[in-house]
Amino acid sequence: MLKDILGQAWEAMVYNRRRTTITIIGMAWGIATVVLLLAYGAGFSRAIEAIFAQWGTTLIGTFPGRTSEQAGGDKAGVQVRFTQDDVDLLANSVPGMVHITPTVNKDVPVQDDLHTYTWTVNGVLPVAEEVMHLPVETGRFFNGAEEAQRAHVAVIGAESKTKLFSGQYPIGQSIRLNGIRFTVVGVLESKMQEGDNDNNRQVYIPFSTMGDIKDTKYLDGIWLNYVGNYELVEKNLRATLAAAHHFRPSDHRAIYVANIMEELSQFRILSIALQVLLALVGALTLGIAGIGLMNIMFVAVQQRTREIGIEKALGAHKRHILTQFLAEAFVITGVGGALGIILAEVVSVAVGRITFYSAMATHAEDADIYLRISPTSVMVATGILVVTGLVSGMIPAIRAANLDPIEALRYE
């Protein structure tokens, strides 16, 4: 039965091949548009994730400020200062915290035998490699023994290596930080860098050794990574430091908190909204193709009115006529959909990468938009296609099924 119905539908399509071809092209164009728009939306979302991933998403940094609200007997405007005691307090008080490191930094002359630059030197603990997401490309990060021994070792950024050593192998080479000799033990992987940003010129040394360059009694900041809910971790962090330094937890000027996951969550909402908008635009485009299919099916019903009358006179039921025209609509929709998905795949391979963040930053190719046709995009597009084909075919099919057989036989 189904085979006969599909055979009839195919014969009708072949008989009106020009009309059928134009309709199939319209459906193919519509489904290709849907798939490509969904792929673009997914690529945009991946690009945003890549930008944040270079810093690590489960990362929170806190920096001292000045109180702006009166708390108890303490007046507003008091300078907050972090010490090592605050690091120990947070390590023991914040649930979900994995690692924590104090940071002290200073812009100092960085020299080798031929060059002198002024770059930022950061004193951190060895766990900063994991906390602050500092993957090493060459060599290694300094370790706990070197921290305990106040060793004069340094890990430099990728751009620092290029400027200081050009093509030379940097590991084991000596540099001077503020006139003090340090041995390079590692070079970091390149990070995405906008304009003259110094992400790739940072130098990292053991926190204990930083005391030779700057007083480390008061910290410039504290970084930690965690597991669990980012909002709860930030809330506990603010409450702990507020109790220790006598300010209100709601006073956001007393301490500044950089919560990477909070910022990423905001971008994720925008990404989802964009994907929904693109899916809607694609669905509307496919809907236009569906209207074309509906018109063609109405023409087919009109042209085959006498044929429908004969079928009904010979005993065909409404469901047989309905199924016959629905089958024709679905065959056109299916062929057009398959061709559209193939077209979308060809376009995605041809286009490949669309410049996005790399237009503003170096080493940012991973944060460009890649058109990758995912199974999810195909499934969503197929669902829209099925609904479009069903609606576009059902209305003309119902009209054909409801034709009066006597009036149909009289039709000329």
Side-chain angles (χ1 to χ4, degrees):
M1 179 69 176
L2 180 61
K3 183 179 179 181
D4 293 336
I5 291 174
L6 292 176
Q8 272 187 310
W10 183 258
E11 288 175 6
M13 290 169 55
V14 172
Y15 181 77
N16 298 288
R17 62 176 65 90
R18 180 181 298 177
R19 185 179 68 193
T20 301
T21 300
I22 293 173
T23 308
I24 287 175
I25 290 173
M27 297 302 292
W29 182 264
I31 194 67
T33 301
V34 173
V35 172
L36 288 172
L37 286 175
L38 291 173
Y40 183 91
F44 178 82
S45 180
R46 284 192 298 267
I48 295 298
E49 295 280 347
I51 293 172
F52 281 92
Q54 68 171 332
W55 309 110
T57 52
T58 56
L59 174 66
I60 290 180
T62 181
F63 312 95
R66 191 178 293 274
T67 61
S68 60
E69 300 176 12
Q70 185 174 348
D74 296 326
K75 297 186 296 183
V78 176
Q79 177 70 49
V80 176
R81 293 180 180 274
F82 291 163
T83 65
Q84 185 62 43
D85 291 339
D86 293 305
V87 178
D88 298 333
L89 181 63
L90 291 174
N92 295 319
S93 304
V94 177
M97 195 202 69
V98 179
H99 295 299
I100 188 169
T101 178
T103 62
V104 173
N105 53 70
K106 185 178 181 180
D107 292 344
V108 302
V110 180
Q111 303 168 297
D112 65 357
D113 295 335
L114 301 175
H115 310 91
T116 299
Y117 303 97
T118 300
W119 291 334
T120 302
V121 174
N122 303 274
V124 295
L125 296 179
V127 294
E129 179 182 11
E130 181 178 346
V131 174
M132 302 171 71
H133 193 67
L134 300 172
V136 175
E137 182 179 60
T138 306
R140 59 176 178 82
F141 211 81
F142 51 82
N143 54 42
E146 290 163 330
E147 165 69 27
Q149 296 166 6
R150 296 173 55 91
H152 284 198
V153 292
V155 177
I156 63 177
E159 188 178 344
S160 301
K161 182 203 77 169
T162 302
K163 288 183 175 294
L164 289 170
F165 304 111
S166 298
Q168 298 181 37
Y169 187 68
I171 305 304
Q173 302 278 4
S174 293
I175 58 175
R176 293 187 298 278
L177 307 179
N178 207 29
I180 303 172
R181 189 171 296 277
F182 282 75
T183 301
V184 176
V185 295
V187 178
L188 299 177
E189 292 181 2
S190 297
K191 288 185 177 291
M192 300 176 192
Q193 179 176 315
E194 293 185 36
D196 197 39
N197 189 293
D198 66 349
N199 290 341
N200 294 311
R201 297 193 296 270
Q202 300 273 328
V203 179
Y204 296 86
I205 64 174
F207 182 80
S208 59
T209 314
M210 188 68 185
D212 296 341
I213 296 176
K214 179 182 177 180
D215 186 358
T216 58
K217 179 180 179 181
Y218 296 115
L219 310 177
D220 292 313
I222 300 171
W223 289 96
L224 60 90
N225 62 344
Y226 62 91
V227 293
N229 185 287
Y230 68 92
E231 293 176 326
L232 182 60
V233 173
E234 179 178 340
K235 180 181 178 181
N236 287 326
L237 180 146
R238 287 187 179 277
T240 300
L241 291 176
H245 292 274
H246 310 291
F247 63 83
R248 296 178 184 273
S250 60
D251 189 350
H252 284 208
R253 293 190 178 181
I255 60 171
Y256 300 95
V257 177
N259 193 332
I260 304 300
M261 185 57 75
E262 181 179 6
E263 297 177 20
L264 177 57
S265 297
Q266 295 171 357
F267 276 99
R268 281 176 174 170
I269 294 173
L270 293 176
S271 296
I272 293 172
L274 176 63
Q275 291 182 65
V276 171
L277 175 62
L278 291 176
L280 180 60
V281 171
L284 292 175
T285 304
L286 189 55
I288 295 172
I291 292 173
L293 173 61
M294 187 185 300
N295 288 332
I296 291 300
M297 294 307 299
F298 273 127
V299 172
V301 171
Q302 186 177 18
Q303 290 178 343
R304 294 159 62 185
T305 300
R306 285 181 60 83
E307 178 188 327
I308 295 169
I310 294 171
E311 289 181 5
K312 285 197 167 187
L314 293 174
H317 294 90
K318 282 187 177 182
R319 66 175 183 275
H320 297 142
I321 306 299
L322 182 70
T323 305
Q324 179 182 338
F325 281 90
L326 268 180
E328 185 173 339
F330 270 115
V331 169
I332 293 174
T333 302
V335 173
L339 292 176
I341 292 172
I342 293 171
L343 175 61
E345 186 67 39
V346 170
V347 171
S348 69
V349 172
V351 174
R353 176 171 62 94
I354 299 175
T355 301
F356 176 53
Y357 195 52
S358 64
M360 301 174 283
T362 57
H363 311 294
E365 289 76 15
D366 287 344
D368 282 340
I369 296 173
Y370 290 84
L371 292 180
R372 295 171 183 164
I373 308 301
S374 67
T376 302
S377 299
V378 174
M379 289 174 63
V380 171
T382 301
I384 297 174
L385 179 67
V386 169
V387 172
T388 303
L390 182 62
V391 173
S392 302
M394 180 64 76
I395 297 174
I398 291 174
R399 179 177 175 180
N402 289 331
L403 283 175
D404 183 86
I406 297 175
E407 294 297 328
L409 287 170
R410 290 176 179 174
Y411 184 82
E412 299 202 11

